[in-house]
Amino acid sequence: MNYFPAFLDLHGRRCLIVGGGEVAARKARLLHSAGAELTVVAPRLAAPMQQLLRNAALCWQAREFDAADVAGHWLVVSATGVPEVERRVAAAAAQARVFCNSVDNLPQCSFITPAIVDRSPLVVAVSSGGAAPVLARQVRARIEALLPAGLGRLARVAAEWRDRVRHKIAAPAERRMFWERVFESAQARDAADAAEMIPALLDASLPSTGEAWLVGAGPGDPDLLTLAALRCLQQADVIVHDRLVSPEILALARRDAEMIAVGKKPGCMANSQEQINALLVELVCSGKRVCRLKGGDPFIFGRGGEEAQALMEAGLAYRVVPGITAASGCAAAAGIPLTHRDAAQSVAFVTAHGKDSIDTLDWPSLARDRQTLAVYMGVRRFPELVGKLVAHGRPANTPIAIVERGTTSAQRIVRGTLGQLSLLAEAHRIEAPAMLFIGEVARLGDPATDEAMTPGAAPGRQRLALRVTVPATGRGA
Ligand code: SAH
């Protein structure tokens, strides 16, 4: 962060404005509305500042700025538009260790002011740190449209009830749940209803145990989270997440949420499924709201079903929030339609993880043409996979595509044919997590960004990393 965001209490605190023009008046009005005691130093005042002088108690020194003016003030805002004066004000402020804002003059600023959405006491401040003020204002406009006008009123009512609610609901976690309910339902109605709703909700009995949400985090790109998943992330007390869930997504969680990683890496058993189930049950029993965050969709090769069952058997509440599964996310990133009227009437989601699943798959059916196979967890089983499919009649020249770390900034796409699969994977050193797509549709998409298609010519990983640049989202990757 280039700037530290903060809200200042300026009530009764002296602040200095240098300049008497329109811009200075605008800043003065804002500082005045925050309760600051203002001194204005300017030889002349334009009409807006004169008006402010008539309506508000501010002190005007009708002269040029002097470095000694800064002393005794908490903040200085300089808006003279004269570079030489701006420089002198900034230097005097720095000397006196007083924060200074020189309007529209970033290099001379020791603090900058954000674009604001004012629903006092609720205030949203947006800043691009001076990098793109227009962007900050656009974001402000969007938030402005998002927040109902009555929200300030609701916040004031909540403030009036805070002590009584604290008295009635002692446990902080329960109290937070109470307020979440108030604000969620009050946003749906008119904020004016809030006052009547609070006592009714306070009387209703509150659940003392927590709950679990089995949430799909999608394949990696945070843009592919659902709104419901985002809400869970922001409300949960604890987030129990897989290793596959990206740091960008975890960064969207509530700041004070407890994070528990329970990764199961291929080949190493960090946490057994039984341990994870027991952990979820224990957390929910202790009254926590638990977000069980899993890559992709929780119910597709995610063992979410077992976790749901464990919670159900323990008599605990849970909810499932679906996610975009790796097959959909990676296919989209590679421009591959999983079904296509001309090329694939069906799609099968298959896992080739472990010896057992290879042997128990229905190969005659999987080898049929006009269908797409989306293979999860298959990287170590490519040779057996090809052998089975070809033996059951799928032609060796069937198109394939491998998408490694799909939808992330490290995404790689390799295309070829079924017969070349093992060689391609080896030459390009494909690693988990990767999706394999088999079928005519794998020919589609934009190969311009793919890795080299001939196995023999494939260079080492370092050179590949330089050559292949793939955007995180969008068709054609
Ligand atoms: N529940 C998940 C799948 C978990 S199994 C889902 O619905 O997507 C883990 C496998 O998913 C990985 O071995 C890999 O085959 C696939 N996978 C998950 N994320 C992926 C990604 N970003 N890119 C490629 N494959 C991915």
Side-chain angles (χ1 to χ4, degrees), residues 42-231:
R44 283 166 302 282
L45 299 187
M49 194 69 103
Q50 283 174 15
Q51 196 187 356
L52 199 62
L53 187 64
R54 277 195 296 277
N55 298 340
L58 57 93
C59 161
W60 175 32
Q61 309 270 345
R63 54 173 176 74
E64 295 290 345
F65 169 77
D66 185 277
D69 290 336
V70 169
H73 293 96
W74 291 75
L75 282 185
V76 179
V77 174
S78 189
T80 64
V82 184
E84 169 54 22
V85 179
E86 295 296 297
R87 251 194 310 279
R88 283 203 295 125
V89 176
Q95 177 83 31
R97 303 282 190 274
V98 176
F99 280 104
C100 173
N101 178 266
S102 171
V103 177
D104 289 335
N105 183 6
L106 197 61
Q108 307 286 354
C109 288
S110 56
F111 81 93
I112 55 174
T113 52
I116 58 175
V117 180
D118 188 2
R119 301 283 188 278
S120 285
L122 185 93
V123 175
V124 182
V126 181
S127 168
S128 68
V134 175
L135 175 65
R137 279 199 288 277
Q138 280 182 358
V139 171
R140 189 258 311 264
R142 274 197 247 168
I143 297 173
E144 185 80 54
L146 210 67
L147 301 183
L151 213 56
R153 171 114 183 274
L154 174 59
R156 283 194 294 280
V157 175
E160 285 163 22
W161 277 85
R162 258 186 90 163
D163 283 343
R164 271 174 283 182
V165 171
R166 185 177 301 146
H167 187 71
K168 176 103 192 255
I169 312 173
E174 280 180 32
R175 208 157 54 228
R176 190 170 51 229
M177 255 190 265
F178 169 80
W179 284 120
E180 275 173 10
R181 263 201 260 167
V182 169
F183 295 135
E184 271 164 20
S185 46
Q187 272 176 37
R189 312 168 189 200
D190 190 69
D193 291 347
E196 289 136 58
M197 219 173 43
I198 292 174
L201 276 173
L202 202 52
D203 275 345
S205 62
L206 290 159
S208 56
T209 59
E211 58 181 311
W213 307 313
L214 305 178
V215 179
D221 179 357
D223 276 1
L224 297 179
L225 273 179
T226 63
L227 291 175
L230 184 63
R231 225 165 11 240

Side-chain angles (χ1 to χ4, degrees), residues 245-473:
V245 177
S246 67
E248 292 92 329
I249 287 177
L250 294 178
L252 298 170
R254 212 177 80 200
R255 264 165 196 271
D256 58 339
E258 186 187 348
M259 296 285 184
I260 304 178
V262 291
K264 282 181 281 180
K265 243 187 172 170
C268 97
M269 292 299 284
N271 294 87
S272 73
Q273 190 59 49
E274 289 66 33
Q275 283 171 315
I276 296 172
N277 295 353
L279 175 69
L280 294 180
V281 168
E282 185 192 313
L283 287 169
V284 176
C285 283
S286 70
K288 298 273 170 57
R289 284 168 308 165
V290 183
C291 172
R292 171 67 176 113
L293 193 62
K294 301 161 88 65
D297 181 274
F299 280 180
I300 294 183
F301 305 129
R303 302 188 74 170
E306 290 160 55
E307 290 167 12
Q309 210 169 348
L311 289 160
M312 196 156 43
E313 277 162 15
L316 300 171
Y318 72 90
R319 196 151 59 90
V320 180
V321 176
I324 292 184
T325 189
S328 308
C330 296
I336 297 172
L338 288 175
T339 66
H340 191 288
R341 275 211 308 184
D342 304 327
Q345 291 167 310
S346 64
V347 52
F349 291 179
V350 186
T351 176
H353 180 55
K355 185 90 184 89
D356 292 352
S357 65
I358 284 271
D359 286 343
T360 52
L361 283 171
D362 180 2
W363 292 105
S365 127
L366 293 178
R368 260 178 237 138
D369 67 353
R370 295 182 59 75
Q371 72 172 325
T372 306
L373 300 187
V375 184
Y376 292 74
M377 294 181 278
V379 173
R380 290 162 178 227
R381 300 275 163 188
F382 284 163
E384 286 135 286
L385 204 86
V386 174
K388 292 275 190 192
L389 284 173
V390 173
H392 286 86
R394 197 105 199 209
N397 65 358
T398 306
I400 60 108
I402 308 168
V403 182
E404 185 192 76
R405 300 194 177 277
T407 82
T408 73
S409 55
Q411 169 176 292
R412 294 197 302 156
I413 301 169
V414 175
R415 287 176 220 254
T417 64
L418 189 56
Q420 299 169 328
L421 173 60
S422 303
L423 272 177
L424 279 170
E426 205 175 307
H428 291 267
R429 301 188 198 162
I430 295 296
E431 282 170 18
M435 283 299 304
L436 166 65
F437 299 101
I438 304 172
E440 289 305 317
V441 291
R443 201 196 296 283
L444 303 170
D446 177 10
T449 51
D450 295 357
E451 304 245 317
M453 290 177 60
T454 42
R461 192 174 191 86
Q462 264 185 336
R463 266 189 59 203
L464 282 181
L466 287 176
R467 262 186 48 226
V468 181
T469 50
V470 184
T473 47

